């Protein structure tokens, strides 16, 4: 069997690595296609190195651009590779432009698409990711939903065939790397941080960074933080802060360390040892509940509502009073802190990658891995 993996951004590399590994353990060598949506060393190569994905077959060097430029260029380049290689299935993960491009290019060549992390919905159609998720799910033949809730979202849209609830491969990634990170990374020493005495910040979502008003609200939250913080900054946010004249303001916040994006091992160690995490990232909402760290999400909705229901995540949006109110409560109320930190992980047991490989191998063997007419 010949599976092709199409990926291009940091979270896709991290979350597909366990699936690639599971195929390799079953004696199958997957075809690896990197679109190059992320291209800086610290947004891409560092993960390929740390996760030992050294055998990329195609680097498509799509790079940045408008939504259509990036998606369209990726689609054209992916199509060429798929036409030459004719894999048995194309795997995509998540909701980026790379995912949409890979799914559409593949299904139109009648190569079935398997969507890892299918069925997530924020129900906010102004997010590029929501459009990508919906379209990718509807272009897919096999859907790997991380949770029952995701499966129900698919069912509501009429997608009921070949849907498998397997857990989220983020758990596999965390379990495979957290211990290595704890031993190998010296990130706390490098930044003079003590366990549970700092907050970890990340933000890169378009709705938070592309508007001056929202980015200013974000900076105002950081200015009022009552505790030391570290922020490994996504290049998108760095660019926008400079463009909107907010760079000087954010970089002069006294108890805030701003650094380049970090490798996975350093980042995992920072997450695990954080007092709390404030983020607008999807993957980091998941990792915080897996690592038992309270999460305050700088958004008004989430496609990971399981984290909120479980009690490990609160949506604080960009409301300063609300965000700081929760942070103060976590600092002062030990019982409240314990409850959030001990919220149960809703994303499975860390064997999602194995299940995905196994299911696809079995479907292929039975001749059922094909685009239905
Ligand atoms: C993309 C995904 C988002 C995901 C995120 C993971 C889409 C629509 N968005 O957002 O869902 O959460 O990746 O991090 O697919 N840039 C660099 N170097 C890089 C990559 C990007 O400088 O290596 C800068 C460029 O100025 C670029 C901007 O970041 O224009 C945005 O990059 P892009 O890939 O378009 O979107 P992300 O914000 O990374
Ligand atoms: N991550 C990392 N270094 C960083 C920031 C994030 O390794 O400096 C990892 C993080 O552990 C998670 C993933 O990148 O696995 C999340 O990526 P991101 O927030 O960019 O995307 P999203 O999950 O929102 O799509």
């Amino acid at each position: 069997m010949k599976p092709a993996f199409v990926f291009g951004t940091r979270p896709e590399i991290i979350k597909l690595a366990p699936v690639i590994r599971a195929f390799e353990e079953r004696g199958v060598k997957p075809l690896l296609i990197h679109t190059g949506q992320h291209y800086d060393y610290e947004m891409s190569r560092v993960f390929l190195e740390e996760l030992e994905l050294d055998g990329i077959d195609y680097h498509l060097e799509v790079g940045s651009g408008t939504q259509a430029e990036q998606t369209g260029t990726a689609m054209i380049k992916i199509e060429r590779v798929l036409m030459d290689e004719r894999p048995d299935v194309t795997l995509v993960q998540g909701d980026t432009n790379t995912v949409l491009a890979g799914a559409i290019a593949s299904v139109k060549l009648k190569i079935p698409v398997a969507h890892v992390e299918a069925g997530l919905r924020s129900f906010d159609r102004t997010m590029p990711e929501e459009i990508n998720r919906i379209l990718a799910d509807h272009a897919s033949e096999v859907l790997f939903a991380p949770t029952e809730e995701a499966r129900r979202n698919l069912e509501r849209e009429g997608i009921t065939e070949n849907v498998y609830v397997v857990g989220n491969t983020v758990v596999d990634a965390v379990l495979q790397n957290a211990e290595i990170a704890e031993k190998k990374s010296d990130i706390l020493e490098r930044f003079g941080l003590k366990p549970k005495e700092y907050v970890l910040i990340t933000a890169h979502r378009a709705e938070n960074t592309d508007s001056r008003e929202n980015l200013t609200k974000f900076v105002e939250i950081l200015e009022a933080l009552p505790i030391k913080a570290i922020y490994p900054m996504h290049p998108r946010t760095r660019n926008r802060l400079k463009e909107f004249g907010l760079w000087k303001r954010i970089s002069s916040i006294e108890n805030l360390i701003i650094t380049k994006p970090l490798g996975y091992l350093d980042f995992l160690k920072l997450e695990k040892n954080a007092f709390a995490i404030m983020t607008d990232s999807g993957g980091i909402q998941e990792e915080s509940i897996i690592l038992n760290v309270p999460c305050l999400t700088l958004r008004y909705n989430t496609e990971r509502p399981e984290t909120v229901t479980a009690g490990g995540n609160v949506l604080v949006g960009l409301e300063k009073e609300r965000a700081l109110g929760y942070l103060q409560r976590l600092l002062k109320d030990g019982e409240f802190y314990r409850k959030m930190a001990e919220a149960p992980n809703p994303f499975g047991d860390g064997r999602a990658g194995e299940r995905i490989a196994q299911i696809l191998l079995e479907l292929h063997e039975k001749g059922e891995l094909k685009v239905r007419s």
Side-chain angles (χ1 to χ4, degrees):
M1 181 193 181
K2 184 169 163 183
F5 284 75
V6 175
F7 51 86
T9 69
R10 162 168 87 182
E12 294 162 73
I13 300 170
I14 292 169
K15 287 175 166 180
L16 282 175
V19 191
I20 294 168
R21 186 130 313 130
F23 271 108
E24 286 171 350
E25 281 165 7
R26 285 160 179 76
V28 176
K29 164 88 189 74
L31 187 75
L32 304 184
I33 304 168
H34 190 317
T35 62
Q37 177 171 346
H38 284 175
Y39 43 85
D40 290 347
Y41 173 81
E42 58 270 12
M43 294 300 287
S44 170
R45 177 141 291 283
V46 65
F47 304 105
L48 301 177
E49 288 172 6
E50 286 181 337
L51 301 169
E52 295 172 16
L53 296 172
D54 32 23
I56 302 292
D57 297 284
Y58 293 91
H59 285 281
L60 303 185
E61 296 180 6
V62 169
S64 305
T66 65
Q67 293 293 314
E69 278 164 358
Q70 193 174 53
T71 312
T73 310
M75 209 185 295
I76 291 167
K77 293 189 169 189
I78 293 166
E79 183 184 55
R80 277 187 210 131
V81 175
L82 295 180
M83 281 163 93
D84 285 347
E85 294 280 353
R86 298 296 320 179
D88 293 304
V89 60
T90 302
L91 287 99
V92 291
Q93 192 285 335
D95 53 22
T96 66
N97 289 344
T98 289
V99 171
L100 178 60
I104 304 287
S106 182
V107 68
K108 290 200 167 188
L109 289 171
K110 302 182 186 58
I111 299 166
V113 179
H115 190 196
V116 178
E117 204 179 70
L120 271 62
R121 296 290 181 269
S122 67
F123 302 101
D124 175 358
R125 287 168 60 91
T126 66
M127 293 176 72
E129 291 87 356
E130 182 74 353
I131 304 301
N132 292 344
R133 285 178 205 119
I134 295 172
L135 297 177
D137 282 338
H138 284 263
S140 293
E141 228 59 44
V142 189
L143 297 103
F144 294 110
T147 63
E148 268 302 317
E149 191 146 352
R151 188 195 61 71
R152 278 196 296 273
N153 287 335
L154 293 170
E155 192 175 45
R156 269 197 290 272
E157 293 173 19
I159 303 175
T160 51
E161 272 185 61
N162 279 345
V163 178
Y164 300 90
V165 179
V166 291
N168 195 310
T169 60
V170 72
V171 185
D172 312 28
V174 169
L175 296 185
Q176 286 165 21
N177 293 288
E179 230 171 271
I180 306 173
E182 202 55 41
K183 278 192 206 129
K184 272 200 182 166
S185 166
D186 62 353
I187 189 82
L188 299 188
E189 295 79 358
R190 253 162 46 218
F191 286 106
L193 295 167
K194 296 209 177 73
K196 303 295 162 193
E197 290 189 6
Y198 63 90
V199 170
L200 173 60
I201 313 278
T202 86
H204 71 280
R205 200 79 28 225
E207 63 266 28
N208 284 342
T209 59
D210 285 359
S211 119
R212 182 193 299 270
E213 195 191 336
N214 287 348
L215 201 53
T216 305
K217 284 188 183 175
F218 171 59
V219 174
E220 282 167 0
I221 292 175
L222 300 186
E223 282 174 334
L225 286 179
I227 173 172
K228 200 165 181 168
I230 179 162
Y231 179 6
M233 194 182 284
H234 192 292
R236 173 187 203 116
T237 318
R238 187 177 291 264
N239 294 342
R240 290 286 186 257
L241 284 162
K242 289 187 176 158
E243 205 177 303
F244 294 145
L246 290 163
W247 180 251
K248 216 169 154 202
R249 198 165 152 189
I250 195 168
S251 49
S252 57
I253 300 175
E254 224 171 83
N255 57 357
L256 176 69
I257 302 166
I258 296 174
T259 160
K260 289 191 303 194
L262 297 169
Y264 189 46
L265 297 180
D266 280 341
F267 194 78
L268 268 181
K269 181 147 183 184
L270 265 191
E271 283 184 297
K272 189 155 181 262
N273 288 287
F275 171 77
I277 294 176
M278 296 175 90
T279 189
D280 65 10
S281 156
I284 297 168
Q285 288 175 64
E286 294 161 349
E287 287 169 351
S288 55
I289 200 164
I290 297 163
L291 292 166
N292 297 115
V293 180
C295 184
L296 303 179
T297 293
L298 302 162
R299 290 177 49 188
Y300 295 92
N301 57 49
T302 179
E303 57 293 314
R304 276 98 174 159
E306 301 88 344
T307 56
V308 177
T309 315
N313 186 13
V314 179
L315 301 180
V316 296
L318 290 175
E319 305 307 317
K320 189 167 102 180
E321 305 306 322
R322 184 167 163 84
L324 295 172
Y326 271 103
L327 197 53
Q328 287 291 4
R329 193 160 169 210
L330 284 168
L331 284 162
K332 288 185 183 139
D333 182 345
E335 182 57 20
F336 180 68
Y337 186 91
R338 199 185 53 75
K339 268 200 176 149
M340 274 195 82
E342 289 176 7
N345 157 32
F347 297 116
D349 59 1
R351 297 184 55 205
E354 291 174 31
R355 290 190 190 98
I356 291 168
Q358 200 55 42
I359 290 166
L360 290 175
L361 283 165
E362 284 169 18
L363 286 174
H364 179 250
E365 216 159 273
K366 289 192 273 180
E368 289 173 13
L369 200 48
K370 53 179 184 237
V371 177
R372 279 158 296 176
S373 55

